[in-house]
Amino acid sequence: MIITRYLSRQILSTTLAITLILLVVVVLGRMLNYLADASQGELDPNVLMLVLSYRLPDFLQLILPLAMLLGILLALGRLYADSEMTVLAATGFSPLKLLGITSLAASVVTAAVALLSLQLAPQGSRKVSELLDVQQNLSEFDLLVPGIFQNTANGDRTTYAESLVDGEMQTVFLHDGVNNRVIMAESAVPIKGEDGRRFVLFRDGTLATGMNSGLEYEVTRFDELGLGLAPRNLGIRPDIEEKTMTNAELSTAGGPAQVAELQWRWSLVLLVPLLALLAVPLSRVSPRQGRFAKLVPAILLYMLYLGLLLMSRDWLAEAKLPVMPGLWWVHIVFAILGFLLFTGRWPARLSARG
C-alpha cells in the first residue's frame, strides 16, 4: 500500500508539473497569434481571454496524455536509475504489480481526458464559434481603439480616431492603400444597410485621391460619405460543425464526418491507458543511461500514435475508411505493441517473479 501511494503520487505530481509547463507554452503561443490579430483590428481585444479560456479543454485533452506518458517515464525511470527497482524486484515486486499501480494513476488521467474530450471541449468549441460569429459581423471600425493607428486588411488600410463618443468616432483618419485614397472627417459611424452590407458613414471631411501616384491628385470636400466594408477575414477560424456537436447529436447524425468526430473523442480517452501500457516497459533504463534516456523515443512514439489517429480520422470523415475498423485499428496496433514490449523487455528475474 505504501509503495502504491508513493508511486501514484510521483506519477501524478510529475504529470501535473509537465501539464502546466506544456499548457503555458501552448497558451502563450496562441495568445501571441491572437494579439497579432487584435492589433490588426481582426479581433476584439476584449474577447481574447474568453477565446483562450474556451480553448483550454481542447489544449488539455492533447497535452494530458503526453504529460502522463512523460510523467511515468520520469517517475519510474528514476527508480531504475537509482537501482530502487532492483531492490523492489528482490522483495517480490512483480512487473504486473507495477503495471497495476501505474494503471491506478492512469485512471485519474483517463477520467480527466474523458471529461475534457466528451463534454468540455465540445462546449468550448461551441462557445468559440458563437464568439467568432459575432466578431465576423463587426467591422474594423467597431473594434477601433481611440488614439491608436490601426493597420487592417493585411496592412492595406490604416485607420485612426481621436475619441469615441456614444458609438460615434471623432476626428477620423483613413488611408486606403489599395484604392490610393485618404479620408479625413470630423466624425464617422458604422452602419448596416437593409441588405445586410456594412458601411461606415463619414461626416464633414475631405477625400483625397491619387496622392501616391506622383501625378495630380484630387481633394473633395463632403458633408457625408459612405464607404462599403468588405467582409472581415478573421485570423481565427471557427471550429468545424462536428466539433461543436454533442455526443448524442453525433450519434444521431451518423454521417462520416460525425462518426469520425465521435470516434476521435473516444480515441483520446482510450489513448491514455494504452500509453500507460507502453510507458511501463519503456521506462526501464540502466543506471548509466539515466532517467531521461527514453524520453525522445517515447515522444516519437506518441507523435506516431497521434499522427495515425489524425490521419485515420480524416480518412474516415472523407469516407475513405470504413466505420469498422475506423480509428480502432490504430489502438489495436499499439495495444499489441505495448503487450510485446511489456512481455519481452523485462529482465528475466522480474519476469519470473511476475
Side-chain angles (χ1 to χ4, degrees), residues 156-158 173-183 206-219 227:
D156 292 330
R157 191 157 54 234
T158 302
F173 167 87
L174 181 142
H175 173 253
D176 185 352
V178 174
N179 298 297
N180 193 16
R181 59 188 175 187
V182 175
I183 299 175
T206 58
L207 167 65
T209 58
M211 295 186 67
N212 296 335
S213 64
L215 303 175
E216 295 182 355
Y217 62 90
E218 292 184 5
V219 178
L227 177 66

Side-chain angles (χ1 to χ4, degrees), residues 7 12 36-37 75 104 112 117-118 121 146 160 188 218 250 299 323 339 342 348:
L7 286 177
L12 291 176
D37 294 329
L104 286 176
S117 178
L118 300 176
Y160 172 86
E218 292 184 5
L250 291 173
I299 292 173
V323 174
F339 176 78
F342 184 78

Side-chain angles (χ1 to χ4, degrees), residues 55-134:
R55 287 289 191 193
L56 285 180
D58 204 21
F59 301 154
L60 283 170
Q61 67 180 356
L62 294 176
I63 290 174
L64 270 175
L66 175 60
M68 186 209 65
L69 174 64
L70 299 180
I72 295 173
L73 290 175
L74 291 175
L76 300 187
R78 185 186 66 79
L79 297 180
Y80 281 109
D82 295 343
S83 298
E84 293 181 35
M85 193 63 73
T86 304
V87 176
L88 289 174
T91 62
F93 192 80
S94 69
L96 283 177
K97 193 174 294 184
L98 180 61
L99 179 61
I101 294 173
T102 305
S103 299
L104 286 176
S107 65
V108 177
V109 181
T110 302
V113 172
L115 178 63
L116 292 166
S117 178
L118 300 176
Q119 185 172 354
L120 298 183
Q123 290 177 357
S125 294
R126 193 178 306 116
K127 293 292 186 181
V128 170
S129 295
E130 291 172 358
L131 277 175
L132 295 184
D133 284 341
V134 174

